[in-house]
Amino acid sequence: MRRPPSLALRLTLLFGGAAALVFFGFGWVIERSIEHHFSAEDTAELNVIARAVSQALTRPHRAEDTIALEQRFSDILVGHHSAALFIKGHDGHTLFASPGSLDFSALNNSVADGVVRLWRDPQYTYRVLTRRMSNSAGLDDLPYTVSVAVAIDYHLHFLDSFRRTLWIMIASGIVVTGLMGWVAVRQGHIPLRNIVAQIRRISANELNTRLSPATVPRELTDLAISFNEMLARMEESFQQLANFSADIAHELRTPVTNLLTQTQVALSQSRNVGDYREILYSNIEEYERMAQMIGEMLFLAKADNGLYPLNTIEIDLAREVQDLFEYYEAWAEDRGVALNLRGDAKVRADRLMLRRALSNLLSNAIRHTPAGNTVQVILDQTPGREISIVVENPGAAIPPEHLSRLFNRFYRVDASRHRSDDGAGLGLAIVKSIVDLHDGKIEVSSSTEGTRFRINLPD
């Protein structure tokens, strides 16, 4: 895959392209303006000569005054640099032709009256005005064709020189603007390079580094804030991973130590079959706890990576909760805890996963409910809105600093509580993963009246 060009190159080309458009536009306007200026001057000069010739033709004179009339035409051209005059009668005879290199006989006069045009002979370029005039005061009253020409080679040479100079300056301006744009971009990227230098110093052991939004340009403030937030999330994830590794080692060490101790004791002396059977049954309990914990960790790993496809069906939540009540009824009675359900709701979800989440919440509530109290499960469904599942139990309030961490893996409010009394600390983490897989939300609140877990699932 081709690597995209650098930002410096892109912005430099953008500066150069913009400068090219602006300079080319100005150059074209200036060039057209000067050409129009010279054309207007030449046209004005041609019109002045043509009006003078018209006045000379309409001024009274005799037929025998041809020489005087020619002198008058020659006088008209005086003061007009490189101007030429050609007057032709209606029958094609030449009334007057100014001396010079211009070959008027090759000039085509079949053009509209008063039209100015360009005409080139082998040596020069002329701007020519042709008019039809009548001699009403003298020789006859038949029309004459008057052609006035002005050589414009000086103007053309000037325009060629000016055009070369102009476009050289334009090209130089584009190059200079591009270089200035490159320098400006390089200078403007200094804050970015400073940020990159800071980022390069960040490692897994220095995730506490933060960028200062107040010291970067305003355009980079959001970038610095977002980067700091990302570092905070990474730092929290690394901390959770470190704690998770330590918790796994701790949780696995206890059953392995128990198994090792019991086996060593069993082999320390000869025992009867009953003793060995009792030791094996005790080992089985430890194996079951380890297998359950490993299974729960595998479930969390797959859930976090989206490896658990959901088999969604319509579920009657009230029936599922009643089934769980029947399952936990004996244990709840032993603890002196009553179970109560209010409300009704139906939801499309993965039945086994949702049942597992509700089972974890219900067992957690029964475990922390004092004897003589009731665990409440409240279902609520409003058409077109979220479905709410609330599991609440009376008991001691959970300190606020623990609430946001209850769903962390292996986290316990009371770190001294033994795992056999409170599980491995993965139940609530599994509940949150299941709720997340269903695009839902779970929240917890706690007060002196008890603790409440609320699950909101999309309808």
Side-chain angles (χ1 to χ4, degrees):
M1 182 177 179
R2 184 178 179 183
R3 184 178 181 181
S6 66
L7 287 177
L9 177 59
R10 291 182 184 181
L11 292 175
T12 300
L13 293 177
L14 181 61
F15 275 122
L21 289 176
V22 173
F23 286 157
F24 277 123
F26 281 138
W28 183 85
V29 171
I30 293 173
E31 184 180 345
R32 297 285 84 78
S33 298
I34 294 178
E35 288 181 355
H36 177 73
H37 170 73
F38 285 138
S39 175
E41 281 192 345
D42 293 338
T43 300
E45 186 175 5
L46 292 173
N47 285 321
V48 168
I49 296 173
R51 283 196 298 271
V53 171
S54 176
Q55 292 174 0
L57 287 175
T58 57
R59 185 174 301 171
H61 57 268
R62 297 185 301 276
E64 59 270 15
D65 292 341
T66 303
I67 296 176
L69 189 59
E70 290 179 355
Q71 183 61 43
R72 186 177 300 172
F73 291 151
S74 298
D75 293 341
I76 291 174
L77 297 178
V78 175
H80 297 283
H81 180 70
S82 301
L85 177 63
F86 178 70
I87 304 175
K88 183 172 65 174
H90 69 281
D91 56 357
H93 74 280
T94 301
L95 176 63
F96 178 81
S98 59
S101 59
L102 179 58
D103 183 9
F104 283 100
S105 62
L107 185 63
N108 181 15
N109 293 324
S110 59
V111 294
D113 184 25
V115 175
V116 178
R117 55 178 170 155
L118 290 178
W119 185 64
R120 292 180 176 85
D121 67 5
Q123 292 184 340
Y124 302 101
T125 301
Y126 298 89
R127 206 180 300 276
V128 181
L129 172 65
T130 300
R131 282 189 175 177
R132 305 290 189 272
M133 299 180 183
S134 62
N135 182 9
S136 59
L139 299 174
D140 51 54
D141 57 357
L142 298 175
Y144 288 85
T145 301
V146 178
S147 297
V148 185
V150 175
I152 60 172
D153 294 276
Y154 174 78
H155 293 170
L156 294 179
H157 290 318
F158 173 81
L159 284 173
D160 288 340
S161 176
F162 176 80
R163 189 179 293 111
R164 284 194 299 271
T165 304
L166 176 65
W167 292 115
I168 290 174
M169 292 178 64
I170 288 175
S172 302
I174 293 172
V175 173
V176 171
T177 303
L179 291 175
M180 292 176 63
W182 182 81
V183 173
V185 169
R186 292 288 297 176
Q187 290 296 115
H189 282 176
I190 289 178
L192 275 177
R193 290 196 291 273
N194 292 337
I195 291 176
V196 171
Q198 288 182 269
I199 292 175
R200 284 176 176 170
R201 293 195 295 268
I202 296 174
S203 64
N205 297 325
E206 295 184 2
L207 289 176
N208 58 344
T209 301
R210 296 293 184 270
L211 302 178
S212 176
T215 61
V216 300
R218 183 175 302 175
E219 294 80 3
L220 300 179
T221 301
D222 290 342
L223 174 63
I225 294 174
S226 299
F227 184 76
N228 289 340
E229 292 174 349
M230 180 192 70
L231 282 180
R233 292 192 298 269
M234 290 179 61
E235 185 176 14
E236 183 180 359
S237 298
F238 269 92
Q239 187 62 41
Q240 288 180 357
L241 183 60
N243 295 337
F244 184 61
S245 299
D247 290 335
I248 290 177
H250 175 74
E251 294 295 334
L252 291 178
R253 181 182 63 182
T254 301
V256 169
T257 301
N258 291 341
L259 290 171
L260 180 61
T261 302
Q262 292 177 7
T263 303
Q264 290 174 341
V265 170
L267 295 176
S268 62
Q269 59 183 352
S270 299
R271 301 177 185 276
N272 57 39
V273 176
D275 292 337
Y276 284 120
R277 185 184 301 274
E278 184 179 349
I279 292 173
L280 290 177
Y281 277 126
S282 177
N283 288 348
I284 287 176
E285 293 179 1
E286 297 295 340
Y287 285 130
E288 288 177 346
R289 292 193 186 99
M290 292 177 62
Q292 179 184 0
M293 182 171 58
I294 293 172
E296 289 176 346
M297 288 190 295
L298 287 175
F299 174 85
L300 288 172
K302 291 182 179 180
D304 289 345
N305 292 278
L307 300 179
Y308 261 113
L310 295 179
N311 181 24
T312 57
I313 59 174
E314 188 174 76
I315 301 172
D316 187 341
L317 289 175
R319 178 175 297 178
E320 293 297 323
V321 173
Q322 288 291 354
D323 290 344
L324 289 174
F325 280 1
E326 293 177 4
Y327 177 79
Y328 286 111
E329 184 177 7
W331 180 41
E333 287 180 357
D334 289 342
R335 298 182 64 91
V337 175
L339 305 175
N340 183 52
L341 170 65
R342 289 188 298 168
D344 191 8
K346 294 183 179 180
V347 66
R348 290 194 62 83
D350 188 296
R351 181 175 178 273
L352 294 179
M353 284 193 182
L354 191 57
R355 186 184 181 94
R356 184 173 186 177
L358 294 176
S359 175
N360 287 352
L361 287 179
L362 192 57
S363 64
N364 183 74
I366 295 172
R367 183 181 298 112
H368 294 91
T369 300
N373 290 279
T374 302
V375 173
Q376 297 278 355
V377 178
I378 306 170
L379 305 177
D380 181 52
Q381 181 174 17
T382 303
R385 300 179 63 184
E386 293 180 329
I387 296 167
S388 173
I389 306 172
V390 176
V391 179
E392 61 182 10
N393 64 278
I398 300 175
E401 63 270 17
H402 294 291
L403 291 178
S404 60
R405 304 176 63 185
L406 282 181
F407 300 104
N408 294 350
R409 299 168 190 182
F410 296 112
Y411 185 78
R412 296 187 184 89
V413 175
D414 184 1
S416 64
R417 186 184 297 272
H418 193 269
R419 63 182 178 86
S420 62
D421 298 328
D422 202 23
L426 294 175
L428 293 180
I430 291 176
V431 172
K432 187 177 187 307
S433 294
I434 293 174
V435 172
D436 290 341
L437 284 174
H438 287 83
D439 297 324
K441 296 180 181 179
I442 183 170
E443 56 188 18
V444 58
S445 60
S446 184
S447 65
T448 56
E449 297 179 357
T451 300
R452 166 181 288 208
F453 288 87
R454 176 187 292 272
I455 297 176
N456 293 321
L457 297 175
D459 190 356

